[in-house]
């Protein structure tokens, strides 16, 4: 008998899969994705809150700007009224000194003096002034501007330099009616006509432009613009970089005075706590969820690694078991051959002694017959054991069963016992059966053989039928034999379990265990119902149309004659 080849051991599972960077990123991809997504969402919320606060700042800035514009409009109107009153007072006959004396007392009573100086200029000479020193500084610029003014302009705007060299000081000049060559003037500054800062830090500063002079700044100093380079300030750069501005132009005839209101840097840098609260809260939620996901991923990774290790160990164990099974199969084959040889010799010698009709007493003849029966029984036991061990590793080859061929095969195998017992077999296979022909034949052969063996005094009557039940095919073998008690229903399907003594009914106790093994290979089952003294009914359930199973290569075919005919 050829010995089966040893199975090839499976390739080991790589254990270093999760020790590489790619493996770790693959294992922890979910927490990494969650943390990155959470950081991105946190930054989006942070900047969205900043944008919202920026919009609020723009709205607040425009509110402050409207208040400043109202102040500027009011200051320009006040200067116009004061200049108009001075010209009328002088035109009505008051001397310049008397008229200015009235305005000096009025300006001294004001909480905020919007006028730096008032006076009268005649033929390029200062006649009277509230502040003679300031008037002496302003007269040359006034005379120069009057020389260039158009003839149709009555009120002239004169740009002046303030004490710090900025272009935030200006004068309004108007002719005196009835006094040719005489002009009244008013001098003011943007730092005077604008109200003091709102709170500790004013939210805005003003860039002013008077006539054709370069723009200058009010309510601000150097490091409101560029802390790193004071004294070198580009007004155009400041105007272009401002996120929002409000522009103002004085009403006629003072349209030469313009101003642009910008937000201070200190005002823009006041972000408030809300964006930081949103950022910290979002990052905390991200880290919390990421930590939980990381913990789950780590647990999953540990389980995956443990599964990989267990799979590798199981593969090795399966390889060892396959090798052991192959070795056991070789041992069983050799043992079967080596054991059957002396049994056949014993049986042949005892049969030869009986046939020669030697002068033996009855006791000796009985002993020879017992030796012969024991050899037969031992030979069947060896064959059944070999069949059972091979059935454990056999695969079912599913195909459509030919009923006529199956019936002929079984009746031919059991022809001797059918004739001897005068048994009657009644077949009714009226539904298609998908099964392994060899295994199904061994099931029916064992069941019919048992039905004939465990008979009563009357002739055995065995009915074999097949019908469809839901998604199964139900095969039943019903007999009129001695029956089985309920408490033995499970026991009879175990290996080497027999309900009767060997001298009453011959057998090895493997037949029904082999039937159960064959039914399991089909994905089916076998069961029994019985009434003692009336008969038994064995039911085999098989799948209706199962998918074909891939059969493993079998080195040795199981011979038909090695199937037990007993329970």
């Amino acid at each position: 008998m050829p010995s089966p080849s040893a199975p090839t051991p499976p390739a080991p599972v790589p254990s270093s899969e999760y020790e590489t960077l790619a493996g770790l990123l693959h294992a922890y991809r979910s927490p990494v994705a969650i943390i990155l997504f959470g950081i991105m969402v946190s930054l989006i919320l942070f900047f969205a809150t900043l944008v919202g606060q920026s919009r609020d700042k723009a709205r607040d800035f425009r509110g402050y700007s409207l208040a400043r514009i109202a102040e500027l409009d009011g200051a320009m109107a006040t200067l116009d009224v004061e200049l108009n009153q001075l010209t009328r007072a002088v035109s009505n006959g008051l001397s310049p000194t008397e008229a200015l004396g009235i305005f000096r007392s009025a300006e001294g009573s004001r909480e905020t003096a919007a006028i730096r100086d008032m006076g009268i200029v005649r033929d390029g000479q200062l006649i009277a002034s509230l502040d003679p020193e300031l008037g002496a500084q302003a007269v040359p610029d006034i005379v120069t501007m009057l020389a260039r003014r158009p003839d149709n302009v009555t009120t002239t705007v004169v740009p002046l330099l303030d004490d710090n060299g900025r272009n935030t000081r200006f004068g309004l000049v108007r002719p005196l009616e009835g006094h040719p060559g005489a002009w009244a003037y008013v001098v003011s500054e943007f730092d005077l006509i604008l109200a003091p800062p709102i709170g500790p830090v004013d939210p805005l500063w003003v860039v002013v432009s008077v006539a054709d002079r370069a723009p200058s700044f009010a309510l601000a100093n150097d490091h409101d613009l560029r802390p790193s380079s004071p004294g070198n300030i580009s007004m155009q750069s400041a105007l272009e970089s401002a996120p929002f501005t409000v522009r103002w132009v004085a009403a006629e005839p003072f349209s030469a005075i313009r101003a642009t209101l910008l937000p201070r840097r200190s005002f823009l840098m006041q972000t408030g706590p809300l964006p930081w609260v949103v950022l910290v809260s979002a990052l905390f939620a991200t880290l919390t969820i990421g930590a939980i996901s990381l913990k789950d991923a780590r647990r999953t990774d540990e389980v995956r690694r443990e599964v990989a290790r267990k799979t590798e160990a199981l593969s090795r164990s399966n390889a060892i078991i396959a090798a052991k099974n192959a070795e056991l199969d070789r041992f069983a084959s050799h043992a079967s051959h080596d054991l059957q040889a002396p049994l056949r010799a014993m049986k042949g010698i005892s049969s030869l002694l009986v046939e020669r009709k030697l002068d033996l007493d009855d006791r000796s003849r009985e002993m020879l017959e017992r030796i012969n029966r024991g050899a037969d029984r031992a030979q069947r036991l060896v064959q059944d054991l070999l069949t059972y061990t091979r059935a454990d590793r056999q695969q079912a080859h599913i195909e459509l069963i030919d009923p006529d061929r199956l019936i002929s095969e079984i009746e031919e195998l059991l022809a001797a016992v059918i004739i001897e017992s005068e048994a009657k077999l009644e077949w009714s296979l009226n539904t298609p059966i998908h099964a392994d022909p060899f295994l199904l034949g061994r099931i029916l052969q064992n069941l019919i053989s048992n039905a004939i063996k465990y008979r009563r005094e009357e002739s055995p009557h065995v009915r074999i039928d097949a019908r469809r039940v839901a998604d199964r095919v139900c095969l039943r073998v019903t007999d009129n034999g001695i029956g089985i008690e309920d408490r033995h229903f499970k026991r009879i399907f175990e290996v080497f379990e027999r309900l009767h003594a060997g001298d009453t009914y011959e057998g090895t106790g493997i037949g029904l265990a082999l039937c159960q093994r064959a039914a399991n290979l089909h994905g089916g089952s076998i069961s029994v119902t019985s009434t003692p003294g009336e008969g038994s009914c064995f039911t085999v359930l098989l799948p209706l149309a199962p998918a074909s199973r891939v059969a493993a290569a079998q080195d040795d075919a199981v011979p038909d004659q090695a199937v037990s005919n007993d329970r």
Side-chain angles (χ1 to χ4, degrees):
M1 179 177 294
S3 60
S5 60
T8 304
V13 179
S15 59
S16 60
E17 177 184 355
Y18 305 104
E19 297 176 1
T20 62
L21 179 60
L24 289 176
L25 290 178
H26 178 75
Y28 294 94
R29 62 187 182 278
S30 295
V32 170
I34 289 174
I35 292 175
L36 292 179
F37 179 76
I39 292 175
M40 182 178 64
V41 171
S42 302
L43 293 177
I44 290 174
L45 292 176
F46 175 72
F47 287 112
T49 310
L50 284 180
V51 170
Q53 285 202 346
S54 177
R55 292 177 179 175
D56 294 340
K57 284 188 174 297
R59 184 170 57 252
D60 295 341
F61 167 77
R62 296 189 186 282
Y64 295 140
S65 299
L66 292 177
R68 291 297 189 194
I69 287 173
E71 293 176 12
L72 291 173
D73 289 336
M76 290 297 108
T78 300
L79 294 177
D80 185 48
V81 170
E82 296 287 342
L83 182 61
N84 189 39
Q85 288 177 354
L86 177 60
T87 57
R88 285 186 181 182
V90 176
S91 298
N92 289 334
L94 291 178
S95 66
T97 304
E98 292 174 343
L100 289 176
I102 297 173
F103 285 100
R104 182 179 289 110
S105 61
E107 287 297 319
S109 63
R110 295 176 184 272
E111 295 182 0
T112 302
I115 298 175
R116 287 292 305 271
D117 186 29
M118 296 179 68
I120 303 297
V121 177
R122 179 182 294 166
D123 296 331
Q125 299 294 324
L126 181 63
I127 302 301
S129 176
L130 292 178
D131 187 345
E133 183 178 355
L134 182 58
Q137 296 176 2
V139 166
D141 290 331
I142 292 174
V143 172
T144 302
M145 182 61 69
L146 290 176
R148 296 188 304 170
R149 72 178 182 85
D151 294 336
N152 60 346
V153 176
T154 58
T155 302
T156 303
V157 177
V158 180
L160 304 171
L161 293 176
D162 64 5
D163 297 337
N164 296 321
R166 299 180 303 169
N167 297 319
T168 61
R169 184 178 293 174
F170 62 93
L172 301 178
V173 183
R174 184 174 294 173
L176 293 174
E177 296 179 3
H179 298 274
W183 297 78
Y185 72 86
V186 175
V187 175
S188 183
E189 293 182 13
F190 274 89
D191 286 337
L192 289 176
I193 65 179
L194 293 174
I198 301 173
V201 179
D202 198 289
L204 53 83
W205 60 282
V206 183
V207 174
V208 296
S209 175
V210 181
D212 57 351
R213 296 293 181 91
S216 188
F217 55 89
L219 291 181
N221 51 43
D222 288 351
H223 65 223
D224 277 326
L225 301 175
R226 289 187 180 177
S228 59
S229 57
N232 185 21
I233 301 168
S234 171
M235 290 296 168
Q236 189 62 33
S237 174
L239 292 173
E240 290 175 355
S241 62
F244 29 79
T245 61
V246 174
R247 300 186 182 275
W248 171 82
V249 179
E252 292 293 344
F254 316 122
S255 58
I257 301 175
R258 297 177 175 84
T260 303
L261 287 73
L262 310 177
R264 289 178 184 263
R265 181 174 298 178
S266 58
F267 173 72
L268 294 176
M269 294 302 292
Q270 295 173 353
T271 59
L274 182 59
W276 301 103
V277 171
V278 170
L279 179 62
V280 171
S281 301
L283 288 177
F284 178 76
T286 298
L287 293 178
T288 302
I289 298 174
I292 295 174
S293 178
L294 184 63
K295 183 178 179 181
D296 292 341
R298 184 179 303 158
R299 186 183 299 112
T300 303
D301 182 49
E302 291 175 355
V303 171
R304 192 180 293 115
R305 295 188 185 201
E306 185 65 23
V307 169
R309 286 194 293 267
K310 295 293 185 182
T311 302
E312 183 178 359
L314 183 60
S315 299
R316 293 175 180 173
S317 299
N318 287 338
I320 294 173
I321 291 173
K324 294 294 184 182
N325 285 337
E327 183 179 356
L328 179 61
D329 194 37
R330 288 194 300 271
F331 171 77
S333 300
H334 291 306
S336 172
H337 180 270
D338 294 343
L339 287 175
Q340 289 189 69
L343 290 175
R344 283 193 296 268
M346 290 172 55
K347 182 179 177 182
I349 294 173
S350 61
S351 299
L352 184 61
L353 291 175
V354 172
E355 290 176 358
R356 286 185 177 183
K357 298 180 181 180
L358 299 176
D359 189 12
L360 300 174
D361 55 13
D362 295 338
R363 177 63 176 172
S364 299
R365 288 181 177 277
E366 182 181 355
M367 292 176 65
L368 288 175
E369 291 175 357
R370 290 179 63 181
I371 291 174
N372 198 6
R373 289 195 301 269
D376 287 338
R377 183 177 177 184
Q379 192 172 11
R380 285 197 305 272
L381 180 60
V382 170
Q383 293 173 350
D384 289 346
L385 281 173
L386 184 61
T387 302
Y388 185 81
T389 56
R390 290 178 175 176
D392 187 29
R393 296 183 297 279
Q394 186 173 349
Q395 298 293 325
H397 299 264
I398 305 300
E399 61 182 60
L400 181 62
I401 299 298
D402 183 357
D404 296 334
R405 181 177 178 181
L406 178 66
I407 294 172
S408 299
E409 178 185 353
I410 294 176
E411 288 186 347
E412 181 179 352
L413 289 173
L414 300 177
V417 294
I418 292 174
I419 295 173
E420 179 185 355
S421 61
E422 299 180 354
K424 179 182 179 182
L425 303 184
E426 182 180 348
W427 296 87
S428 180
L429 306 180
N430 299 324
T431 187
I433 302 173
H434 290 80
D436 185 298
F438 174 77
L439 294 177
L440 182 61
R442 302 299 73 74
I443 292 174
L444 294 178
Q445 179 184 350
N446 278 281
L447 293 179
I448 296 172
S449 175
N450 284 347
I452 297 174
K453 181 192 304 183
Y454 297 98
R455 61 183 181 272
R456 292 180 293 172
E457 294 181 357
E458 59 187 71
S459 299
H461 181 196
V462 184
R463 187 173 186 275
I464 306 98
D465 64 275
R467 58 189 178 91
R468 178 176 174 179
V469 178
D471 59 344
R472 299 262 179 173
V473 172
C474 177
L475 277 168
R476 295 187 304 176
V477 178
T478 308
D479 61 55
N480 61 344
I482 61 176
I484 307 170
E485 295 182 5
D486 296 352
R487 57 192 177 93
H488 299 310
F489 283 174
K490 292 185 178 180
R491 179 184 168 191
I492 60 175
F493 293 104
E494 297 178 3
V495 182
F496 301 127
E497 287 292 337
R498 306 188 70 247
L499 305 183
H500 306 278
D503 54 354
T504 306
Y505 295 98
E506 294 184 356
T508 59
I510 298 178
L512 290 180
L514 185 60
C515 291
Q516 187 178 47
R517 183 66 54 83
N520 292 339
L521 288 174
H522 285 84
S525 62
I526 184 171
S527 60
V528 62
T529 57
S530 179
T531 302
E534 296 183 7
S536 303
C537 178
F538 286 84
T539 302
V540 180
L541 292 177
L542 301 176
L544 182 62
S548 299
R549 302 184 182 183
V550 179
Q554 300 296 318
D555 297 318
D556 298 319
V558 180
D560 293 352
Q561 64 272 16
V563 178
S564 173
N565 292 332
D566 62 304
R567 301 184 205 229

mmCIF file of all heavy atoms in Angstrom, residues 286-312:
data_model
loop_
_atom_site.group_PDB
_atom_site.id
_atom_site.type_symbol
_atom_site.label_atom_id
_atom_site.label_comp_id
_atom_site.label_asym_id
_atom_site.label_seq_id
_atom_site.Cartn_x
_atom_site.Cartn_y
_atom_site.Cartn_z
ATOM 1 N N THR A 286 -10.713 67.555 20.556
ATOM 2 C CA THR A 286 -9.980 66.747 19.575
ATOM 3 C C THR A 286 -9.041 65.768 20.262
ATOM 4 O O THR A 286 -8.981 64.581 19.910
ATOM 5 C CB THR A 286 -9.189 67.662 18.633
ATOM 6 O OG1 THR A 286 -10.114 68.487 17.911
ATOM 7 C CG2 THR A 286 -8.372 66.851 17.654
ATOM 8 N N LEU A 287 -8.293 66.273 21.255
ATOM 9 C CA LEU A 287 -7.347 65.397 21.951
ATOM 10 C C LEU A 287 -8.069 64.317 22.736
ATOM 11 O O LEU A 287 -7.599 63.174 22.812
ATOM 12 C CB LEU A 287 -6.469 66.238 22.879
ATOM 13 C CG LEU A 287 -5.502 67.206 22.166
ATOM 14 C CD1 LEU A 287 -4.731 68.025 23.185
ATOM 15 C CD2 LEU A 287 -4.548 66.444 21.267
ATOM 16 N N THR A 288 -9.227 64.661 23.321
ATOM 17 C CA THR A 288 -9.982 63.656 24.068
ATOM 18 C C THR A 288 -10.471 62.543 23.147
ATOM 19 O O THR A 288 -10.271 61.348 23.409
ATOM 20 C CB THR A 288 -11.171 64.321 24.774
ATOM 21 O OG1 THR A 288 -10.682 65.349 25.650
ATOM 22 C CG2 THR A 288 -11.954 63.295 25.588
ATOM 23 N N ILE A 289 -11.111 62.952 22.038
ATOM 24 C CA ILE A 289 -11.602 61.943 21.090
ATOM 25 C C ILE A 289 -10.440 61.174 20.480
ATOM 26 O O ILE A 289 -10.507 59.949 20.294
ATOM 27 C CB ILE A 289 -12.458 62.620 19.998
ATOM 28 C CG1 ILE A 289 -13.685 63.292 20.629
ATOM 29 C CG2 ILE A 289 -12.885 61.618 18.941
ATOM 30 C CD1 ILE A 289 -14.510 64.106 19.647
ATOM 31 N N GLY A 290 -9.332 61.890 20.171
ATOM 32 C CA GLY A 290 -8.164 61.212 19.614
ATOM 33 C C GLY A 290 -7.555 60.220 20.579
ATOM 34 O O GLY A 290 -7.125 59.135 20.179
ATOM 35 N N ALA A 291 -7.534 60.582 21.901
ATOM 36 C CA ALA A 291 -6.989 59.653 22.893
ATOM 37 C C ALA A 291 -7.854 58.398 23.000
ATOM 38 O O ALA A 291 -7.343 57.278 23.075
ATOM 39 C CB ALA A 291 -6.895 60.350 24.254
ATOM 40 N N ILE A 292 -9.181 58.596 22.986
ATOM 41 C CA ILE A 292 -10.079 57.434 23.037
ATOM 42 C C ILE A 292 -9.897 56.565 21.795
ATOM 43 O O ILE A 292 -9.798 55.329 21.878
ATOM 44 C CB ILE A 292 -11.545 57.908 23.174
ATOM 45 C CG1 ILE A 292 -11.750 58.631 24.511
ATOM 46 C CG2 ILE A 292 -12.499 56.731 23.055
ATOM 47 C CD1 ILE A 292 -13.119 59.256 24.656
ATOM 48 N N SER A 293 -9.847 57.223 20.622
ATOM 49 C CA SER A 293 -9.646 56.461 19.381
ATOM 50 C C SER A 293 -8.285 55.784 19.366
ATOM 51 O O SER A 293 -8.148 54.650 18.892
ATOM 52 C CB SER A 293 -9.780 57.400 18.179
ATOM 53 O OG SER A 293 -9.558 56.713 16.981
ATOM 54 N N LEU A 294 -7.261 56.467 19.907
ATOM 55 C CA LEU A 294 -5.929 55.871 19.958
ATOM 56 C C LEU A 294 -5.907 54.651 20.865
ATOM 57 O O LEU A 294 -5.287 53.631 20.553
ATOM 58 C CB LEU A 294 -4.917 56.910 20.438
ATOM 59 C CG LEU A 294 -3.445 56.482 20.457
ATOM 60 C CD1 LEU A 294 -2.976 56.180 19.043
ATOM 61 C CD2 LEU A 294 -2.593 57.570 21.081
ATOM 62 N N LYS A 295 -6.635 54.758 21.981
ATOM 63 C CA LYS A 295 -6.717 53.618 22.894
ATOM 64 C C LYS A 295 -7.399 52.432 22.220
ATOM 65 O O LYS A 295 -6.937 51.285 22.308
ATOM 66 C CB LYS A 295 -7.472 54.023 24.156
ATOM 67 C CG LYS A 295 -7.550 52.941 25.214
ATOM 68 C CD LYS A 295 -8.276 53.448 26.444
ATOM 69 C CE LYS A 295 -8.380 52.355 27.515
ATOM 70 N NZ LYS A 295 -9.107 52.840 28.714
ATOM 71 N N ASP A 296 -8.512 52.719 21.523
ATOM 72 C CA ASP A 296 -9.206 51.639 20.803
ATOM 73 C C ASP A 296 -8.327 51.061 19.692
ATOM 74 O O ASP A 296 -8.292 49.846 19.482
ATOM 75 C CB ASP A 296 -10.512 52.171 20.202
ATOM 76 C CG ASP A 296 -11.531 52.531 21.265
ATOM 77 O OD1 ASP A 296 -11.380 52.038 22.403
ATOM 78 O OD2 ASP A 296 -12.448 53.314 20.977
ATOM 79 N N ALA A 297 -7.615 51.961 18.973
ATOM 80 C CA ALA A 297 -6.742 51.467 17.895
ATOM 81 C C ALA A 297 -5.611 50.620 18.455
ATOM 82 O O ALA A 297 -5.226 49.610 17.870
ATOM 83 C CB ALA A 297 -6.185 52.649 17.099
ATOM 84 N N ARG A 298 -5.086 51.046 19.628
ATOM 85 C CA ARG A 298 -4.012 50.263 20.237
ATOM 86 C C ARG A 298 -4.533 48.892 20.662
ATOM 87 O O ARG A 298 -3.869 47.873 20.459
ATOM 88 C CB ARG A 298 -3.459 51.022 21.443
ATOM 89 C CG ARG A 298 -2.267 50.341 22.103
ATOM 90 C CD ARG A 298 -1.773 51.187 23.261
ATOM 91 N NE ARG A 298 -1.422 52.519 22.800
ATOM 92 C CZ ARG A 298 -1.368 53.578 23.611
ATOM 93 N NH1 ARG A 298 -1.681 53.448 24.879
ATOM 94 N NH2 ARG A 298 -1.013 54.753 23.130
ATOM 95 N N ARG A 299 -5.757 48.888 21.242
ATOM 96 C CA ARG A 299 -6.333 47.601 21.641
ATOM 97 C C ARG A 299 -6.587 46.728 20.407
ATOM 98 O O ARG A 299 -6.310 45.522 20.416
ATOM 99 C CB ARG A 299 -7.643 47.833 22.399
ATOM 100 C CG ARG A 299 -8.236 46.552 22.976
ATOM 101 C CD ARG A 299 -9.564 46.805 23.665
ATOM 102 N NE ARG A 299 -9.416 47.726 24.784
ATOM 103 C CZ ARG A 299 -9.911 48.951 24.813
ATOM 104 N NH1 ARG A 299 -10.566 49.424 23.755
ATOM 105 N NH2 ARG A 299 -9.765 49.725 25.861
ATOM 106 N N THR A 300 -7.111 47.370 19.331
ATOM 107 C CA THR A 300 -7.339 46.617 18.094
ATOM 108 C C THR A 300 -6.031 46.104 17.512
ATOM 109 O O THR A 300 -5.956 44.968 17.024
ATOM 110 C CB THR A 300 -8.041 47.524 17.073
ATOM 111 O OG1 THR A 300 -9.267 48.007 17.638
ATOM 112 C CG2 THR A 300 -8.351 46.759 15.794
ATOM 113 N N ASP A 301 -4.988 46.938 17.589
ATOM 114 C CA ASP A 301 -3.685 46.521 17.070
ATOM 115 C C ASP A 301 -3.133 45.357 17.880
ATOM 116 O O ASP A 301 -2.570 44.410 17.321
ATOM 117 C CB ASP A 301 -2.729 47.710 17.123
ATOM 118 C CG ASP A 301 -1.364 47.361 16.551
ATOM 119 O OD1 ASP A 301 -1.315 46.802 15.447
ATOM 120 O OD2 ASP A 301 -0.355 47.613 17.230
ATOM 121 N N GLU A 302 -3.309 45.410 19.211
ATOM 122 C CA GLU A 302 -2.836 44.301 20.044
ATOM 123 C C GLU A 302 -3.604 43.021 19.716
ATOM 124 O O GLU A 302 -3.016 41.936 19.636
ATOM 125 C CB GLU A 302 -3.001 44.671 21.509
ATOM 126 C CG GLU A 302 -2.049 45.777 21.980
ATOM 127 C CD GLU A 302 -2.333 46.202 23.407
ATOM 128 O OE1 GLU A 302 -3.322 45.691 23.974
ATOM 129 O OE2 GLU A 302 -1.565 47.023 23.951
ATOM 130 N N VAL A 303 -4.929 43.172 19.534
ATOM 131 C CA VAL A 303 -5.729 41.995 19.169
ATOM 132 C C VAL A 303 -5.286 41.453 17.812
ATOM 133 O O VAL A 303 -5.165 40.237 17.614
ATOM 134 C CB VAL A 303 -7.231 42.365 19.149
ATOM 135 C CG1 VAL A 303 -8.058 41.231 18.565
ATOM 136 C CG2 VAL A 303 -7.718 42.685 20.558
ATOM 137 N N ARG A 304 -5.016 42.393 16.865
ATOM 138 C CA ARG A 304 -4.597 41.966 15.527
ATOM 139 C C ARG A 304 -3.253 41.236 15.592
ATOM 140 O O ARG A 304 -3.051 40.225 14.934
ATOM 141 C CB ARG A 304 -4.508 43.188 14.619
ATOM 142 C CG ARG A 304 -4.359 42.861 13.148
ATOM 143 C CD ARG A 304 -4.266 44.106 12.305
ATOM 144 N NE ARG A 304 -5.516 44.850 12.308
ATOM 145 C CZ ARG A 304 -5.669 46.055 12.821
ATOM 146 N NH1 ARG A 304 -4.644 46.662 13.378
ATOM 147 N NH2 ARG A 304 -6.825 46.658 12.778
ATOM 148 N N ARG A 305 -2.355 41.780 16.401
ATOM 149 C CA ARG A 305 -1.064 41.109 16.535
ATOM 150 C C ARG A 305 -1.218 39.751 17.194
ATOM 151 O O ARG A 305 -0.581 38.774 16.788
ATOM 152 C CB ARG A 305 -0.111 41.981 17.360
ATOM 153 C CG ARG A 305 0.262 43.295 16.704
ATOM 154 C CD ARG A 305 1.348 43.984 17.486
ATOM 155 N NE ARG A 305 1.641 45.297 16.927
ATOM 156 C CZ ARG A 305 2.767 45.951 17.133
ATOM 157 N NH1 ARG A 305 3.696 45.395 17.874
ATOM 158 N NH2 ARG A 305 2.967 47.144 16.607
ATOM 159 N N GLU A 306 -2.093 39.706 18.220
ATOM 160 C CA GLU A 306 -2.305 38.419 18.895
ATOM 161 C C GLU A 306 -2.933 37.413 17.935
ATOM 162 O O GLU A 306 -2.566 36.238 17.926
ATOM 163 C CB GLU A 306 -3.199 38.626 20.114
ATOM 164 C CG GLU A 306 -3.401 37.389 20.974
ATOM 165 C CD GLU A 306 -2.114 36.913 21.626
ATOM 166 O OE1 GLU A 306 -1.177 37.738 21.787
ATOM 167 O OE2 GLU A 306 -2.043 35.716 21.968
ATOM 168 N N VAL A 307 -3.883 37.899 17.109
ATOM 169 C CA VAL A 307 -4.501 37.007 16.109
ATOM 170 C C VAL A 307 -3.446 36.524 15.120
ATOM 171 O O VAL A 307 -3.451 35.347 14.728
ATOM 172 C CB VAL A 307 -5.650 37.746 15.391
ATOM 173 C CG1 VAL A 307 -6.114 36.956 14.177
ATOM 174 C CG2 VAL A 307 -6.813 37.970 16.343
ATOM 175 N N ALA A 308 -2.550 37.436 14.709
ATOM 176 C CA ALA A 308 -1.496 37.019 13.775
ATOM 177 C C ALA A 308 -0.600 35.962 14.404
ATOM 178 O O ALA A 308 -0.229 34.977 13.750
ATOM 179 C CB ALA A 308 -0.672 38.246 13.348
ATOM 180 N N ARG A 309 -0.249 36.182 15.689
ATOM 181 C CA ARG A 309 0.597 35.190 16.369
ATOM 182 C C ARG A 309 -0.146 33.862 16.521
ATOM 183 O O ARG A 309 0.418 32.789 16.283
ATOM 184 C CB ARG A 309 1.018 35.714 17.741
ATOM 185 C CG ARG A 309 2.075 36.808 17.683
ATOM 186 C CD ARG A 309 2.686 37.053 19.051
ATOM 187 N NE ARG A 309 1.718 37.609 19.967
ATOM 188 C CZ ARG A 309 1.541 38.911 20.172
ATOM 189 N NH1 ARG A 309 2.265 39.790 19.504
ATOM 190 N NH2 ARG A 309 0.643 39.350 21.031
ATOM 191 N N LYS A 310 -1.421 33.947 16.917
ATOM 192 C CA LYS A 310 -2.209 32.718 17.076
ATOM 193 C C LYS A 310 -2.385 32.010 15.735
ATOM 194 O O LYS A 310 -2.365 30.775 15.670
ATOM 195 C CB LYS A 310 -3.578 33.039 17.680
ATOM 196 C CG LYS A 310 -3.525 33.591 19.101
ATOM 197 C CD LYS A 310 -3.033 32.546 20.078
ATOM 198 C CE LYS A 310 -3.107 33.055 21.518
ATOM 199 N NZ LYS A 310 -2.588 32.079 22.486
ATOM 200 N N THR A 311 -2.596 32.812 14.671
ATOM 201 C CA THR A 311 -2.759 32.212 13.340
ATOM 202 C C THR A 311 -1.489 31.490 12.914
ATOM 203 O O THR A 311 -1.542 30.384 12.358
ATOM 204 C CB THR A 311 -3.117 33.308 12.317
ATOM 205 O OG1 THR A 311 -4.304 33.968 12.737
ATOM 206 C CG2 THR A 311 -3.316 32.709 10.937
ATOM 207 N N GLU A 312 -0.347 32.136 13.189
ATOM 208 C CA GLU A 312 0.918 31.488 12.842
ATOM 209 C C GLU A 312 1.107 30.203 13.647
ATOM 210 O O GLU A 312 1.509 29.158 13.098
ATOM 211 C CB GLU A 312 2.072 32.447 13.115
ATOM 212 C CG GLU A 312 3.439 31.895 12.724
ATOM 213 C CD GLU A 312 4.543 32.897 12.969
ATOM 214 O OE1 GLU A 312 4.236 34.021 13.423
ATOM 215 O OE2 GLU A 312 5.708 32.546 12.708
#
